Amino acid sequence: MRLSRYFLPVLKETPSEAQIVSHRYMLRTGMIKQASAGIYSWLPMGFKVLRKLEDIVHEEQAKAGHIAMLMPTLQSADLWRESGRYDGYGEEMLRMQDRHGRDMLFSPTAEEMFTDVFRSNVTSYKDLPLTLYQIQWKFRDEIRPRFGVMRGREFFMKDGYNFDLTKEDALHAYNRHLVSYLRTYERMGLQAIPMRADSGPIGGDYTHEFLVLADTGESEVFYDSEITDLTFGDREIDFDDKAQCQAVLEEFTSRYARTDETHDEAEFAKVPQERQRTARGIEVGQIFYFGTQYSDAMGAVVQDGEGNKVPVHMGSHGIGVSRLLGAIIEASHDDKGIIWPEGVTPFHCGIVNLKSGDAEADAACEAIYKSLTALGLEPLYDDRSERAGAKFATMDLIGLPWRITVGPRGLKNGVVELTSRRTGESEELPPETAIERIAQIYGKVSA
């Protein structure tokens, strides 16, 4: 993409309504525009990152054996009355009627819808285990939406639901989700710590939420510092192996880590004092096991191996995909702008032409642009007739991890400048070497 042709409405001033870093930078970089309180239009660069996060979630869910589908955003109130949640959910639920006077609601979550699909189509234990999920827009009518996409009313969310014959099987699904979530967040450049959490209106006995440590987090968290040394890495795992998945759960949840809602001072005191930590955290996902709560209420039963009809054991598992953009920026920025992790950056590399209109500089930039594109990479080429300082400021603000700077002076010496956004370190290299370095970083094969 050439910046002269891209829609990137960068703001020079920080909007007054933006209270936290991610909201400020998402507005300033033209990623989003507020449509009404807590509801945003996703402009091209914001939409591009949102889709990258969605793709990572889909890929990791597929590896875990989970099956994607799509539910409507509008649901019938009858299903929620059947589960007993319609009247109790609260004013966060946006209720409405269609032209025939039927009570409807804008989906805040989808346990009832998925349970209805399951009970209409599955009757035998032979069809289990089964995990279905979607990535879809949700709406919760927050009384005070704030912090941009971090606490909006409309949000993009992955919600998955497992259906199993026994509690043991359902807890394996719980563990499987925990493993897949650890992999998902690490691919996004995040360390999301699973913490014992409160189940809230969804219910359930087993629940962990995943929190990213950040000063602007809405939750106070208490944890053993040893947990921040854990990484999943590139280890291979068999998601059908119950012992292996259980071992990962124990590895990542055996140390103390809780939100303020479930904090236990007596338990926390058992952690060696030098490892006790208190911080703020941003919730980016949650997993639940809630047994037969919905299957009992809605008649989601299967025939077991002895011919008995039994309610299935269920759980739900969510990732706030749109909220993740805010969390990534909160965890990865400086006073110049965003610093995107390589796994989610909207463009792999920026190309800055220090002298647009200079034949040699233009030709060199074009050659680099075409070479990176041929490798399957997406560079953003700043070909505008702007001064160098303005181009650098834009690149720093939008936060691409790598920048290749091309100018007449360097070209006379046969070099361009490769700069890391995270460290600020620059290196002069021949153009071919800079291209090869970028290709290596992103796992592409240089021609």
Side-chain angles (χ1 to χ4, degrees), residues 1-2 348-354 360-382 402-407 410-411 414-418 429-439 446:
M1 180 56 65
R2 300 168 194 275
H348 297 105
C349 176
I351 303 170
V352 172
N353 188 340
L354 292 181
E360 190 177 5
D362 288 353
C365 287
E366 287 289 340
I368 293 169
Y369 179 79
K370 289 178 180 177
S371 293
L372 291 171
T373 303
L375 290 167
L377 295 168
E378 292 184 281
L380 180 64
Y381 173 23
D382 192 344
W402 297 93
R403 185 185 76 225
I404 296 175
T405 305
V406 181
L411 290 174
V415 297
V416 295
E417 187 177 68
L418 179 63
L429 301 166
E432 300 78 11
T433 307
I435 292 165
E436 187 174 338
R437 186 76 59 83
I438 296 295
S446 182

Side-chain angles (χ1 to χ4, degrees), residues 353-362 381 383-385:
N353 188 340
L354 292 181
K355 197 171 183 181
S356 295
D358 177 87
E360 190 177 5
D362 288 353
Y381 173 23
D383 58 342
R384 301 172 300 160
S385 297

Side-chain angles (χ1 to χ4, degrees), residues 112-406:
E112 286 81 1
M113 289 287 290
F114 275 85
T115 304
D116 183 51
V117 166
F118 176 87
R119 71 180 178 182
S120 301
N121 294 282
V122 180
T123 58
S124 170
Y125 75 98
K126 294 178 182 178
D127 295 319
L128 303 180
L130 180 65
T131 294
L132 303 172
Y133 79 95
Q134 66 170 345
I135 301 180
Q136 176 63 294
W137 291 98
K138 305 288 192 300
F139 190 92
R140 294 178 189 166
D141 200 5
E142 294 273 357
I143 189 170
R144 282 186 296 274
R146 55 194 175 128
F147 302 155
V149 301
M150 298 289 288
R151 186 172 290 182
R153 292 192 296 164
E154 185 182 54
F155 53 96
F156 200 46
M157 180 181 173
K158 174 263 169 179
D159 53 322
Y161 305 88
N162 66 282
F163 303 89
D164 290 279
L165 184 63
T166 66
K167 180 177 180 179
E168 179 187 4
D169 292 340
L171 289 180
H172 174 54
Y174 185 96
N175 296 349
R176 198 171 61 239
H177 277 85
L178 182 134
V179 174
S180 70
Y181 279 21
L182 291 171
R183 291 169 57 105
T184 298
Y185 295 126
E186 285 194 15
R187 282 187 61 187
M188 295 174 181
L190 289 171
Q191 182 177 51
I193 301 171
M195 298 193 178
R196 178 69 65 184
D198 181 61
S199 60
I202 292 180
D205 299 324
Y206 295 79
T207 177
H208 283 86
E209 62 183 15
F210 293 77
L211 289 103
V212 174
L213 300 180
D215 293 340
T216 50
E218 70 269 63
S219 301
E220 187 175 16
V221 298
F222 303 82
Y223 63 97
D224 182 337
S225 64
E226 276 194 350
I227 204 166
T228 58
D229 297 326
L230 299 176
T231 58
F232 191 86
D234 58 0
R235 69 179 88 171
E236 293 293 326
I237 190 160
D238 179 357
F239 282 98
D240 292 326
D241 188 326
K242 291 184 177 181
Q244 197 176 14
C245 290
Q246 177 67 26
V248 174
L249 174 120
E250 291 173 1
E251 177 186 354
F252 281 84
T253 65
S254 59
R255 297 164 183 80
Y256 191 93
R258 298 195 182 190
T259 64
D260 48 4
E261 294 173 314
T262 58
H263 178 54
D264 185 325
E265 279 290 349
E267 287 297 313
F268 190 49
K270 297 177 183 177
V271 177
Q273 192 168 5
E274 67 274 11
R275 300 204 318 253
Q276 293 179 10
R277 298 288 186 275
T278 304
R280 309 295 299 180
I282 300 169
E283 183 197 343
V284 291
Q286 192 160 3
I287 57 177
F288 302 86
Y289 161 73
F290 42 65
T292 60
Q293 175 182 341
Y294 294 95
S295 51
D296 281 334
M298 298 182 68
V301 299
V302 295
Q303 194 171 55
D304 66 14
E306 298 176 355
N308 303 310
K309 287 188 176 181
V310 295
V312 292
H313 287 254
M314 292 175 58
S316 70
H317 320 274
I319 290 180
V321 181
S322 54
R323 162 179 271 248
L324 273 168
L325 270 81
I328 290 168
I329 294 169
E330 292 293 332
S332 186
H333 69 272
D334 60 18
D335 57 3
K336 294 179 181 178
I338 302 166
I339 305 173
W340 290 113
E342 278 87 352
V344 299
T345 180
F347 297 94
H348 297 105
C349 176
I351 303 170
V352 172
N353 188 340
L354 292 181
K355 197 171 183 181
S356 295
D358 177 87
E360 190 177 5
D362 288 353
C365 287
E366 287 289 340
I368 293 169
Y369 179 79
K370 289 178 180 177
S371 293
L372 291 171
T373 303
L375 290 167
L377 295 168
E378 292 184 281
L380 180 64
Y381 173 23
D382 192 344
D383 58 342
R384 301 172 300 160
S385 297
E386 288 274 359
R387 58 185 178 83
K391 292 185 175 186
F392 289 144
T394 297
M395 284 294 174
D396 284 343
L397 179 64
I398 65 177
L400 308 185
W402 297 93
R403 185 185 76 225
I404 296 175
T405 305
V406 181

